[in-house]
Amino acid sequence: PFEGVANRTSAAILEKGRATVYPVPYTVWRKSREGKAIPAECSLEEVVDLTVRRHHVGEPIDRKDITSPWITGRALAIQAIQPLMGDSPYHARKGVTPNANAVYWMQILGRNPGGTVVIANYTKGARRKAEEIQTAVEPDLLFPLLRGRDVSRWQATASLYMLAPQDRENPARPLTENSVARDYPKTFRYLKHFESVLRSRRSSIDQHMMATGPFYSIYGIGPYTFARWKVVWREIASDFLASVVGPVVDKCLGPRVVLPDHKLILVPFQQEKEAHYLCAALNSSPVRFVVRSYSIATQIGTHVLDHVRIPRFQLDSSLHQQLSSLSLEAHAATGAGDAAQVEAIEAEIDHLAAQLWGLTEEELGEIQRNLE
């Protein structure tokens, strides 16, 4: 029997033909020394000498739904994080999915005296190939683009631009072809140049949108995409890391919101303080342990906020305000390259996060050890 699993063995819990009893104990074997693999002909005694064994348990992350993903770790840590389990009042979205990055993604090469900007479409690494061209377009429909590689913990800096021909009144709806041709003729000429590429997009959603709207319609875009403030995290990452991205004043475009791409998950906000509060909670050790214990590195998607219960931000809560301020400080320290300061801030965030979910210092310590 394992620690935290009262007098039950794995044989009793996993038995063919009988319902599984949770939590299920298992042992993780790891080499105790770096180097070559352990030879297959080694005896059990030799293997034991060459390894470290850690006793873990696994159970559905939603105890009321046995089909939900398993959360795994040491028994004490799994028990400690139970106050975090549940649905969050915050909801996440995927970033923009144009399915033709080589057309919509671009670099700005300069600005013309007449007000247009010179762009080159960004074709590097694009799955759907498109001719690389340079041309002038109106700046109104261009926005800084945030990609997965642009995001780390406490830092998010856009490195490219994206063309988003959306209706300002209803960002989920693209501007009509007539309106783009009338108001943004150079942009329309650029899009028409790639019409065959855009119409070759194969997803059923793209095909439906183009059948009922303009050929440059984009999937996965709406009012949330254009929110002033966003908490973002990478869908594909070895660790769970979140950051806040806000509006910028671009040297070529002027004031703009930043658009996250489809490799990023976003939570939209209109207020900076609330965004930083959520970011601090997400980057805390308890949340990172939950996420790393049930998700895989290629699927850290919108489901995070379906499983982690983060209380709604309260403006009159000193605890929430402190978490928000610490996130702001962590972003500043990260931008300044002050790793020691970031580490100190993260330690303080962990202690406040323990208060947020009513964890004891012992429970927090167990979670931090498991995370390490």
Side-chain angles (χ1 to χ4, degrees), residues 249-268:
V249 179
D250 187 85
K251 63 180 180 181
C252 291
L253 304 178
R256 284 291 191 278
V257 297
V258 178
L259 307 189
D261 86 337
H262 60 288
K263 296 295 185 183
L264 290 169
I265 307 300
L266 69 96
V267 184

Side-chain angles (χ1 to χ4, degrees), residues 165-200:
Q166 303 302 115
D167 187 332
R168 295 291 178 89
E169 299 299 321
N170 182 4
R173 183 177 61 195
L175 292 166
T176 65
E177 292 184 38
N178 286 339
S179 62
V180 175
R182 180 189 66 241
D183 299 330
Y184 311 107
K186 295 183 184 298
T187 300
F188 187 71
R189 192 177 307 120
Y190 169 84
L191 289 167
K192 288 293 286 186
H193 181 83
F194 291 109
E195 182 172 2
S196 61
V197 175
L198 296 175
R199 290 197 180 278
S200 71

Side-chain angles (χ1 to χ4, degrees), residues 50-66:
L50 293 171
T51 58
V52 172
R53 292 150 307 285
R54 292 192 166 89
H55 302 315
H56 288 193
V57 297
E59 63 178 57
I61 191 167
D62 182 351
R63 290 179 168 178
K64 297 179 181 178
D65 179 9
I66 62 172

